Amino acid sequence: RGDSASADRQVDSVCPYCGVGCQLTYHVKDDRILFVEGRNGPSNAGRLCVKGRFGFDYPNHHARLTRPLIRRAGVAKGMDPDFDPANPLTHFHEASWDEALDVAAKGLIALRDTHGPDALAGFGSAKCSNEEAWLFQKLVRTGFGSNHVDHCTRLCHASSVAALIECIGSGAVTASFMQALEADLVVLIGCNPEANHPVAATYFKQAAKRGTKIISLNPRGQTLGGYAHRTVRFTLGADVALLNAMLNVIVAERLYDADYIAAHTEGFEALKAHVAPITPETMSAVCGIAPDEIRDIARLYANAERAMIFWGMGVSQHTHGTDNVRCLISLALACGHVGKPGTGLHPLRGQNNVQGASDAGLIPMMLPDYQRVGDAQLRAAFEELWNTPLADKPGLTVVEIMDAILAGTICGMYIMGENPAMSDPDLDHARAALATLEHLVVQDIFVTETAQFADVILPASAWSEKDGTVTNTNRQVQMGRAAVPLPGEAKADWWITQEIARRFGLDWRYTHPREVFAEMGQGMGSLANISWDRLEREGSVTYPCPADDAPGLDVVFGDRFPTASGRARFSLAALLPPDEPVDDDYPTILTTGRQLEHWHTGSMTRRARVLDALEPSAVAMLAPGELQRLGLREGEMLTITTRRGHISLATRIDTALPDGMVFVPFCYSEAAANVLTNPALDPFGKIPEFKYAACRLSVPPPLAP
Ligand code: SF4
């Protein structure tokens, strides 16, 4: 770390990691970032977590891609254990940009022309800017000719978005997390903000200090560092049982807000009938909580004057993830806890631009701003904007695309900044699919696990090297600025996508992301009154924004919901078991997630020196009793086996976990948790069940001398 005096310039930008969207300043000397400081942004007020503060040096890692690469003839696709990402020339040869772009585009065009538009698919990235997301989905829709475009939202909050759009007409949060400071009560369910949204967690703790009651509902027993007023460790997968039982109490004891329900909702009578038999007594054994505890939580939530619900992937990453969120929405609507300060529904979004990438249309069933591709009138507006006919059939989602590759219907892909060879469930299946592709173009900053399957690798830009906007979990559109130049021959992602588009015959002539943002404004009503110049001046503007000189709305839907009737809708959720319940052969629950120090598939944070030093190797976390049952001491190796594969990694004690469960972070390629996970999908959000798989724990045999 240096100090401000030793830097020759400061550049204001946004953290590249989580959806909190902390504003920061890069302190730069001789075109290298010396250190990072938090800035007074609306979602961080100067604060940063360890990732934002110390995870800035990964772009300088010695394995950084600086020249385009083309696979050498005869080298098989796949993850060769002898391959070194820092020395890719064993498997690839360097190429000029013209050569690499020509090979990349020609391969895709040939497959489209031979097999039709449905033979191609693209994954964009929530790690790229809004403008890059916009261009990527536009290329797939207008160049490839299909809607087979998706990104990591499919793996995190697709079920939340599905339920929110269905029930309240909008997939974004109804209030920022700063509104927790105005709430009397905050429910945190299926989330671990201390690890995954650390600066948001500081607001929750601040609220608790001011008297807000925090109720933490979590199968892993997270307590928000002791700030929770009540911690309820319920049975993993029993969200619908718990939440419907709470609704039963609210209905039976008439704790609901009848005036709000009459004025703003529809379907309450059906909900009343639905939850009538789902009493705390009947659900107690299912969710592992005493009936009186369910009653207490329901009463606390309903009787609070202002209450908010925050949730994470513990809610969404289930085959019944959409049902889980439907229940949360019903709770908020029944109690009138939406649309006022200190109330609301807030799915804590994962990546720094997963909200923006979704808004910009990196979704197979929706055009930008969640306009359904099958609606001719909505589609016509984009056909006019882009001056080309668009496909009306919804595209396939992330996991469905992998299945379609193995079924032989998709044979070419363009992947920008995503790493499905680490992030998809049932990795052997996903990797087999990637190896099957006839032509794969990967655009990234490292030779990721996915890039090891590529025919062409295009060296792209890290966050601190690009100008562009991002949208955080609070709907705040924020300005990111390049702090350092691109290394070697690496290029900005928007430039690369444009070059591919031109080779598809598209007449794209963007010279700067600001021109892309201006086009987005023409197609996205959500960006009304938010211009590039305004973002340059103000740094952050929340959407929706009523005027170009007014602040955006922190809390929405006080008067009406953006549905056809203007009312929100109660949606019923039936109790479903996990797709793969534990049994005698696989008696332990495997659940996966993130760690504070590492980010998703680890491609960035494992190359950041401080973060890698803090958490250098793969761990499996277990309750002390579980470790004792296995006859292991902390740090000794454990093998975890599911119906899809096995991994071995070191053990670590987590006293919050219940017996019968093991938690594994999914960022370690040497023990990739997703080898184990279940690809079964939620039927609505098409999100895999990352949070629950049946597994078997065993002690690996000692290594041969
Ligand atoms: Fe970055 Fe999220 Fe940490 Fe803020 S809380 S510094 S956005 S990782």
Side-chain angles (χ1 to χ4, degrees):
R1 187 194 190 284
D3 55 40
S4 298
S6 58
D8 53 34
R9 58 197 166 91
Q10 285 86 36
V11 181
D12 291 343
S13 190
V14 182
C15 175
Y17 294 111
C18 89
V20 170
C22 296
Q23 291 194 1
L24 50 72
T25 298
Y26 293 113
H27 293 258
V28 182
K29 183 178 175 58
D30 298 334
D31 286 339
R32 280 179 88 89
I33 297 169
L34 292 180
F35 65 98
V36 168
E37 279 185 321
R39 212 153 37 94
N40 191 23
S43 67
N44 67 315
R47 307 166 212 186
L48 293 176
C49 79
V50 67
K51 287 191 289 289
R53 193 172 295 283
F54 297 112
F56 60 85
D57 58 347
Y58 64 90
N60 304 329
H61 190 271
H62 64 276
R64 178 68 192 273
L65 270 169
T66 57
R67 291 204 67 188
L69 300 173
I70 296 176
R71 178 172 295 280
R72 290 186 185 279
V75 175
K77 295 184 179 183
M79 294 189 58
D80 177 351
D82 294 328
F83 177 76
D84 176 6
N87 181 25
L89 299 185
T90 53
H91 290 51
F92 299 87
H93 66 81
E94 292 181 338
S96 69
W97 267 106
D98 270 345
E99 182 188 5
L101 288 165
D102 286 348
V103 173
K106 277 181 185 161
L108 295 171
I109 291 166
L111 291 171
R112 181 199 62 181
D113 293 348
T114 306
H115 303 290
D118 282 330
L120 300 184
F123 290 164
S125 174
K127 290 190 284 292
C128 290
S129 67
N130 286 324
E131 298 74 34
E132 289 161 345
W134 172 272
L135 291 185
F136 192 90
Q137 59 87 34
K138 181 178 172 183
L139 167 62
V140 172
R141 294 192 153 111
T142 65
F144 294 7
S146 78
N147 288 304
H148 297 320
V149 61
D150 208 353
H151 77 297
C152 68
T153 190
R154 196 63 45 207
L155 308 178
C156 62
H157 269 302
S159 46
S160 303
V161 172
L164 286 164
I165 289 178
E166 172 189 286
C167 298
I168 67 169
S170 165
V173 301
T174 71
S176 74
F177 62 71
M178 294 87 76
Q179 287 294 324
L181 297 172
E182 308 295 323
D184 300 305
L185 183 129
V186 163
V187 173
L188 302 175
I189 178 167
C191 58
N192 184 11
E194 281 194 295
N196 301 327
H197 303 86
V199 168
T202 67
Y203 284 83
F204 300 144
K205 292 175 181 176
Q206 201 177 342
K209 279 185 167 179
R210 293 183 182 185
T212 303
K213 287 192 168 83
I214 309 277
I215 309 289
S216 175
L217 308 176
N218 196 311
R220 285 176 55 205
Q222 309 298 328
T223 66
L224 196 70
Y227 284 80
H229 168 74
R230 183 79 68 93
T231 300
V232 179
R233 194 170 68 181
F234 65 98
T235 302
L236 204 158
D239 310 63
V240 169
L242 169 62
L243 300 171
N244 270 339
M246 287 172 64
L247 283 162
N248 169 285
V249 174
I250 289 165
V251 169
E253 299 185 7
R254 296 184 178 276
L255 303 177
Y256 51 84
D257 184 337
D259 291 343
Y260 182 88
I261 291 166
H264 296 291
T265 72
E266 52 200 18
F268 186 59
E269 291 305 314
L271 180 87
K272 279 168 84 174
H274 179 69
V275 299
I278 310 175
T279 63
E281 280 71 21
T282 56
M283 289 299 110
S284 171
V286 180
C287 45
I289 309 175
D292 281 348
E293 186 148 28
I294 298 174
R295 283 200 178 82
D296 276 356
I297 312 163
R299 289 169 186 154
L300 279 169
Y301 179 74
N303 289 329
E305 195 171 324
R306 291 162 300 177
M308 296 186 75
I309 301 175
F310 295 88
W311 68 95
M313 290 184 259
V315 164
S316 60
Q317 288 179 332
H318 288 279
T319 46
H320 50 271
T322 304
D323 278 336
N324 291 347
V325 180
R326 287 172 174 144
C327 291
L328 295 175
I329 296 167
S330 291
L331 275 172
L333 295 176
C335 301
H337 288 327
V338 185
K340 296 171 292 192
T343 69
L345 290 157
H346 191 124
L348 286 157
R349 305 306 303 259
Q351 302 219 30
N352 77 331
N353 199 33
V354 70
Q355 182 66 57
S358 303
D359 297 345
L362 279 182
I363 300 183
M365 60 291 284
M366 289 165 184
L367 292 155
D369 258 358
Y370 308 94
Q371 311 291 300
R372 294 206 175 268
V373 297
D375 185 314
Q377 201 177 342
L378 299 175
R379 204 172 57 250
F382 286 93
E383 289 174 331
E384 190 180 339
L385 180 64
W386 295 332
N387 195 26
T388 189
L390 297 173
D392 60 358
K393 192 174 75 171
L396 298 175
T397 59
V398 166
V399 176
E400 291 173 332
I401 286 171
M402 293 298 153
D403 293 341
I405 295 168
L406 287 171
T409 53
I410 287 178
C411 44
M413 279 197 78
Y414 175 24
I415 298 178
M416 173 180 77
E418 291 255 306
N419 194 7
M422 276 291 288
S423 60
D424 272 27
D426 189 5
L427 277 184
D428 286 350
H429 175 85
R431 290 171 179 176
L434 291 169
T436 306
L437 283 168
E438 288 181 43
H439 191 64
L440 173 60
V441 179
V442 172
Q443 176 174 322
D444 215 310
I445 60 174
F446 297 109
V447 185
T448 60
E449 291 77 7
T450 300
Q452 293 175 40
F453 293 83
D455 295 274
V456 184
I457 306 175
L458 305 172
S461 48
W463 177 248
S464 51
E465 298 156 359
K466 60 174 93 189
D467 292 316
T469 67
V470 281
T471 307
N472 71 1
T473 190
N474 291 329
R475 295 181 266 103
Q476 289 156 340
V477 186
Q478 308 206 88
M479 179 59 75
R481 296 179 182 87
V484 289
L486 286 154
E489 296 178 21
K491 296 282 189 186
D493 289 83
W494 68 266
W495 181 92
I496 303 171
T497 303
Q498 170 158 277
E499 288 301 314
I500 300 268
R502 284 178 172 166
R503 284 162 174 78
F504 268 78
L506 302 173
D507 185 23
W508 289 15
R509 296 165 188 269
Y510 307 101
T511 62
H512 190 273
R514 69 164 62 232
E515 296 160 11
V516 184
F517 191 79
E519 181 180 304
M520 292 171 69
Q522 293 175 50
M524 296 172 64
S526 62
L527 295 180
N529 300 308
I530 305 177
S531 66
W532 184 278
D533 287 344
R534 185 174 178 188
L535 289 171
E536 281 276 22
R537 279 194 314 275
E538 299 179 26
S540 173
V541 182
T542 302
Y543 78 76
C545 183
D548 60 12
D549 58 354
L553 302 180
D554 204 34
V555 179
V556 292
F557 311 148
D559 299 330
R560 71 188 307 279
F561 289 92
T563 58
S565 64
R567 290 168 175 270
R569 175 180 152 204
F570 288 97
S571 193
L572 313 184
L575 178 60
L576 296 170
D579 179 73
E580 186 184 69
V582 292
D583 56 23
D584 289 346
D585 291 334
Y586 297 93
T588 303
I589 298 171
L590 165 75
T591 192
T592 64
R594 287 166 285 172
Q595 280 175 294
L596 169 63
E597 295 80 2
H598 283 304
W599 184 242
H600 290 222
T601 68
S603 59
M604 293 152 63
T605 51
R606 296 202 75 198
R607 293 179 172 102
R609 275 178 305 171
V610 170
L611 301 178
D612 189 49
L614 288 169
E615 283 290 358
S617 52
V619 285
M621 298 175 199
L622 303 105
E626 198 66 34
L627 210 60
Q628 200 175 13
R629 185 182 66 73
L630 290 159
L632 287 173
R633 288 191 302 256
E634 189 172 33
E636 291 184 327
M637 295 297 282
L638 170 76
T639 294
I640 308 174
T641 305
T642 68
R643 290 181 173 84
R644 292 157 291 281
H646 67 272
I647 59 172
S648 295
L649 66 180
T651 53
R652 181 180 292 175
I653 286 176
D654 183 343
T655 53
L657 284 174
D659 286 343
M661 185 187 295
V662 58
F663 171 79
V664 183
F666 60 87
C667 61
Y668 298 100
S669 59
E670 64 274 28
N674 281 324
V675 165
L676 309 172
T677 48
N678 184 358
L681 300 181
D682 172 287
F684 306 98
K686 304 288 179 77
I687 192 170
E689 191 149 69
F690 287 118
K691 283 291 181 277
Y692 193 121
C695 75
R696 189 167 60 225
L697 307 182
S698 57
V699 179
L703 293 173

